[in-house]
Amino acid sequence: RVSYVTAADNGLDGIYAFGSRGGLIERSYASGHPDSGIYIGQCKPCDAVVRDSIAELNAVGYEGTNASGGLYVITSIWRRNRVGMTPNTQDYEKLAPQADAVLAANLVADNNEVAAPAQASGGFGLGIAVGGGAANQMLANRVVGNRSAGIVLTDLDGFVPERNQVRANVLERNGTDLAYYLDSAKAAPAAKANCFGGNTFATSSPPVIEAALPCDGAANPNRPGSRPALVAAPPGV
């Protein structure tokens, strides 16, 4: 259990749980980290909760690499990072692919902060980015002011997003509010059963994304849209 902790200006991560299970991170604050403010990685199942916390001025606010199963990241604020939140699959850790995390009732705002440390992969201006994850749920988050994209599903390290649900989120003032695209030419041409429904938004790729990728069980080829116009990452501090 990590409660009422302030983690500031450490060399990599702020609050870090790796290969761990059954944890709670709550009412904590993380700022000034060149990897992530709060990190949970390489667990299946994780059986963990992150709640009521704030991460700002990090390369990434919340990162969950290969963190799967019974994982809830809720009612927290992820603001003024370079990337707000990213559950993702990467092949440098065990237990890939990442799957089965719930990101709900978070505020993910203005993750375009030049004064935050540079992120290794160069991500910038992203609210919630699911890279190669499966069966994740993004529910009732408020995602505002992220200059590249609000909520985006894409491939990473050869893993393609599948069975992710993006529902009932409120998005505004993002470069593209909702996006599903495959970044690598080697990625499979179609993923499976990603869906978008009940969101409040203005822009998407593919266009009219909730009709193209519905959550009502209607069959669809799940073809991706085009890559949104991503803002180039400036040098970091």
Side-chain angles (χ1 to χ4, degrees):
R1 176 176 173 179
V2 180
S3 298
Y4 297 100
V5 167
T6 294
D9 301 336
N10 296 291
L12 192 63
D13 297 279
I15 298 170
Y16 181 88
F18 181 82
S20 302
R21 181 177 180 182
L24 172 64
I25 298 171
E26 64 173 356
R27 298 180 175 86
S28 293
Y29 175 83
S31 178
H33 300 99
D35 192 6
S36 57
I38 296 178
Y39 185 95
I40 295 180
Q42 193 177 292
C43 47
K44 185 181 288 187
C46 300
D47 294 335
V49 174
V50 179
R51 68 185 181 197
D52 304 331
S53 295
I54 298 174
E56 62 185 356
L57 294 168
N58 304 283
V60 181
Y62 164 78
E63 185 170 6
T65 299
N66 297 359
S68 306
L71 175 58
Y72 297 84
V73 185
I74 61 173
T75 57
S76 295
I77 297 172
W78 316 93
R79 68 187 177 202
R80 296 181 61 211
N81 305 285
R82 290 186 170 233
V83 176
M85 307 179 76
T86 177
N88 64 77
T89 301
Q90 296 194 49
D91 57 14
Y92 70 87
E93 290 186 5
K94 297 177 181 179
L95 305 181
Q98 184 277 330
D100 190 24
V102 176
L103 280 56
N106 297 284
L107 173 63
V108 188
D110 302 318
N111 290 288
N112 324 290
E113 185 51 66
V114 175
Q119 192 211 12
S121 65
F124 187 78
L126 298 170
I128 301 175
V130 180
N136 297 295
Q137 298 181 63
M138 279 62 67
L139 308 173
N141 300 286
R142 183 170 178 83
V143 184
V144 299
N146 304 286
R147 289 167 53 195
S148 290
I151 300 178
V152 57
L153 311 181
T154 189
D155 59 292
L156 186 64
D157 281 0
F159 294 90
V160 177
E162 298 187 6
R163 295 175 287 113
N164 297 287
Q165 297 186 22
V166 181
R167 294 177 179 261
N169 302 280
V170 175
L171 304 102
E172 60 183 355
R173 294 185 290 104
N174 301 292
T176 301
D177 287 329
L178 297 172
Y180 165 50
Y181 75 98
L182 301 181
D183 199 35
S184 171
K186 295 180 181 180
K192 300 176 182 178
N194 297 294
C195 80
F196 296 76
N199 301 286
T200 301
F201 68 101
T203 58
S204 69
S205 178
V208 198
I209 196 168
E210 293 189 347
L213 306 173
C215 291
D216 60 4
N220 68 75
N222 236 208
R223 296 289 176 178
S226 60
R227 176 174 176 160
L230 302 181
V231 177
V237 296

